[in-house]
Amino acid sequence: MENILIRGVNWLGDAVMSLPAVRGIRKLHPHSNISIIVKDKLSDLFKLESSVNEVIIYRERINNKIKLIKELKSNNFKRAYLLQNAFGASLITAFAGIPERVGWNRDCRRFFLTHPVPYHGEDRTMHHIDYFFEIPKRFNPSLTPDYPWINLSFEEKFIARKELKPLKRPILAIAPGAKYGITKKWETEKFIEIAKKFTEQYGSVAVFGSEGECLTIDNSDIYNFAGKTSLSDLMHLLSECDILLCNDSGIMHLGYALGVPLVAIFGSTSPALTGPPKFSGKIIKTSVQCSPCFKRNCSDIKCMKSIDVEEVWKAVEEVLPRKKAVFFDRDGTLCKDANYLRKWEDFEVFPHIEAINELKDLGFLIIGVTNQSGIARGIIREDFVIEVNKFFIDKYGFDDFFYCSHHPDDGCFCRKPNPGMPLMARYKYGIDFRSSYVVGDKEIDIQLAQMIGAKGILIGQDARDLKEVVEIIKRDLNA
């Protein structure tokens, strides 16, 4: 088995945006042992990444670098992918004797690269997810970046959920800081105004960030976590919040990677280069002529000062999830499990499925979520899966139907019990999981409900059929 090395980036936001590149490198080397070098402050993120076998901590001092070079030499790496742009990344891997070294041809490091990627200012012309992904793509142009989801463990999410239990729902996470500089920071006083309005009209506020980035305000519904969390704690607590308000910062990138609907405020930087996906929420961007300037400091910061509280508050209200939904598994729940349904002759809808329409009358969205690994296995045609799902939309009034086409070994974010499909539905429809349900015939459906904080109904145990499912939900509403 060959050993492959990745030199990771140094900043949290860049680390999140580099996740698709890391996964792309895994696709290039499916059977290799992959190690990544990152600073200790980012190690919690990559310890969660299934495409990485080992996290090596990078430390700055010269004696630590000498130790690192010796360690790399002993591991006999075949190739090093340098996602970090710095000259030192190429120097260390060259001194470690790694025979193949891949990275952008910039920062005076051409001599130390065996596979230089031509650089013409791409970090100012393409989104940085694509910028990092260009490195593995050079070896397979057909590769495409996936969404930079972060997969959390249920056990840690449950601990975070318990810690946030005293907070009134919904919870607005606020991250008022940004490491880059003052030009990326909306005014603290305006964040405080938003926090006050939210606690008066909706629920609680949780403030995240580094020490010194808290909001100084006397309000029992505003909880300060700034400077009090590890990166692991931050990710799990943030994932349990209902909405995030932030600047263009590392926490912004964590937010959309964790599936948290967000409102992101941009000043000196560009959403086209480092912004969240459009479907993940709202971007507030100034229209002043000098923006984006990418400066860290500015004498007047017009770009941020021109954004008023009402504009941001309106966006928060628009993004806040408020709808309720019932998520239904498909095979074994809505229709007979034909062991990889692949032809219409084997399709058999269960009795009482019409009762589901009563849920729509009660204000629920009806959404299907189904694992279809038969597509990746080559057993089922993807277009047939889409046809069957569309049948439920057209005939039984489903609002949408999501499916995961990946193999169980792919480690994807969407395969149940991972929460990718409901999170995409939350982005699309503004769903409040805590007033929603997951219905299925397998334990993974109940695990999915637990993962997202919804109520689970297990067919065959909690309910005999779909009609009884509807009755259970109606009783809950009347309780």
Side-chain angles (χ1 to χ4, degrees):
M1 179 186 293
E2 64 183 17
N3 294 330
I4 300 298
L5 181 68
I6 301 172
R7 175 53 170 104
V9 293
N10 289 340
W11 295 97
L12 178 56
D14 287 343
V16 173
M17 291 187 285
S18 73
L19 287 173
V22 172
R23 294 163 191 165
I25 292 168
R26 168 56 71 190
K27 289 177 182 177
L28 293 175
H29 305 276
H31 306 297
S32 298
N33 187 79
I34 296 181
S35 301
I36 188 166
I37 303 174
V38 291
K39 291 186 175 181
D40 191 36
K41 66 180 182 180
L42 299 177
S43 61
D44 286 346
L45 174 63
F46 289 100
K47 286 174 183 176
L48 294 169
E49 180 53 44
S50 61
S51 60
V52 171
N53 301 103
E54 178 190 25
V55 177
I56 300 172
I57 304 302
Y58 177 83
R59 294 181 171 86
E60 290 287 354
R61 292 184 178 179
I62 187 66
N63 61 320
N64 291 323
K65 293 179 181 180
I66 293 170
K67 288 179 183 178
L68 177 61
I69 290 171
K70 291 178 179 178
E71 180 182 351
L72 298 182
K73 275 186 177 180
S74 67
N75 285 336
N76 296 315
F77 289 104
K78 178 185 178 183
R79 179 183 290 174
Y81 292 92
L82 310 182
L83 301 182
Q84 190 204 24
N85 295 320
F87 175 81
S90 62
L91 187 67
I92 286 173
T93 51
F95 281 4
I98 300 175
E100 299 178 16
R101 301 175 299 278
V102 187
W104 285 101
N105 182 16
R106 56 177 294 179
D107 294 85
C108 305
R109 60 184 192 172
R110 170 64 184 89
F111 179 76
F112 296 104
L113 298 174
T114 60
H115 295 72
V117 178
Y119 175 72
H120 304 288
E122 281 81 358
D123 55 344
R124 286 290 185 265
T125 60
M126 64 170 61
H127 196 282
H128 286 195
I129 288 176
D130 299 310
Y131 174 76
F132 293 124
F133 199 81
E134 278 296 305
I135 291 177
K137 191 175 180 180
R138 289 283 158 163
F139 294 88
N140 183 351
S142 67
L143 288 177
T144 55
D146 66 352
Y147 191 90
W149 293 117
I150 298 172
N151 242 342
L152 302 178
S153 71
F154 172 70
E155 291 77 17
E156 294 294 331
K157 278 178 66 69
F158 182 76
I159 292 171
R161 190 174 298 166
K162 189 175 180 181
E163 187 169 352
L164 293 177
K165 193 173 182 179
L167 280 68
K168 180 182 175 184
R169 291 283 178 178
I171 299 173
L172 167 65
I174 291 183
K179 291 290 186 184
Y180 186 81
I182 60 171
T183 57
K184 288 175 71 171
K185 294 181 181 181
W186 199 43
E187 293 146 287
T188 301
E189 295 76 15
K190 293 180 178 178
F191 276 115
I192 290 174
E193 285 190 57
I194 296 290
K196 286 180 178 177
K197 289 169 75 75
F198 195 86
T199 56
E200 289 168 0
Q201 299 184 34
Y202 292 107
S204 301
V205 170
V207 183
F208 296 104
S210 303
E211 189 175 357
E213 292 179 344
C214 60
L215 300 181
T216 305
I217 177 174
D218 185 16
N219 186 320
S220 60
D221 289 320
I222 299 177
Y223 295 76
N224 176 40
F225 293 96
K228 300 177 181 179
T229 63
S230 65
L231 177 55
S232 178
D233 294 336
L234 170 60
M235 289 187 288
H236 288 92
L237 288 166
L238 183 58
S239 74
E240 288 296 306
C241 294
D242 299 287
I243 181 173
L244 168 64
L245 172 62
C246 56
N247 301 308
D248 174 17
S249 64
I251 294 180
M252 177 196 75
H253 294 283
L254 284 182
Y256 67 75
L258 293 166
V260 182
L262 57 81
V263 175
I265 303 172
F266 275 72
S268 67
T269 51
S270 168
L273 301 180
T274 58
K278 290 181 180 178
F279 61 77
S280 64
K282 294 277 186 182
I283 295 172
I284 306 295
K285 175 77 175 120
T286 186
S287 59
V288 297
Q289 189 175 3
C290 57
S291 176
C293 66
F294 304 105
K295 293 179 179 178
R296 294 176 183 268
N297 294 291
C298 176
S299 58
D300 54 15
I301 323 178
K302 290 179 183 178
C303 56
M304 281 303 196
K305 290 181 178 178
S306 64
I307 298 172
D308 61 40
V309 170
E310 286 308 312
E311 181 182 5
V312 175
W313 177 248
K314 181 181 177 182
V316 168
E317 291 201 298
E318 288 177 5
V319 173
L320 181 65
R322 309 184 206 204
K323 296 178 182 177
K324 54 187 179 181
V326 183
F327 296 96
F328 283 92
D329 171 54
R330 197 187 78 180
D331 302 339
T333 300
L334 300 173
C335 60
K336 178 183 174 183
D337 190 341
N339 189 25
Y340 298 115
L341 177 65
R342 70 198 87 178
K343 53 185 179 180
W344 284 109
E345 298 90 86
D346 296 331
F347 180 62
E348 182 182 333
V349 176
F350 285 146
H352 308 303
I353 192 170
E354 293 86 356
I356 289 176
N357 279 312
E358 294 183 47
L359 298 174
K360 300 197 77 169
D361 296 335
L362 296 171
F364 287 94
L365 293 167
I366 308 300
I367 296 173
V369 286
T370 177
N371 289 343
Q372 294 294 327
S373 67
I375 297 171
R377 300 175 195 269
I379 300 172
I380 309 172
R381 297 189 340 266
E382 188 166 8
D383 61 344
F384 180 73
V385 171
I386 295 171
E387 285 177 28
V388 174
N389 293 347
K390 189 173 184 297
F391 174 84
F392 287 102
I393 294 172
D394 294 341
K395 187 168 178 64
Y396 297 109
F398 274 64
D399 294 283
D400 212 333
F401 222 112
F402 294 81
Y403 67 95
C404 170
S405 62
H406 300 103
H407 191 280
D409 295 339
D410 288 347
C412 70
F413 191 68
C414 51
R415 181 175 174 81
K416 295 183 292 184
N418 290 332
M421 289 187 282
L423 288 175
M424 290 301 295
R426 178 166 73 169
Y427 274 149
K428 190 172 181 179
Y429 297 104
I431 296 168
D432 174 15
F433 290 146
R434 286 157 187 83
S435 60
S436 299
Y437 292 80
V438 177
V439 181
D441 66 314
K442 298 179 181 66
E443 188 60 32
I444 60 170
D445 298 305
I446 303 306
Q447 291 169 359
L448 174 63
Q450 293 170 340
M451 182 67 83
I452 64 175
K455 298 174 184 176
I457 300 177
L458 184 62
I459 298 286
Q461 179 173 307
D462 302 320
R464 289 168 296 181
D465 52 34
L466 293 171
K467 185 176 182 180
E468 192 167 343
V469 166
V470 174
E471 292 304 315
I472 289 171
I473 294 173
K474 288 165 71 175
R475 285 200 302 270
D476 284 353
L477 293 178
N478 294 325

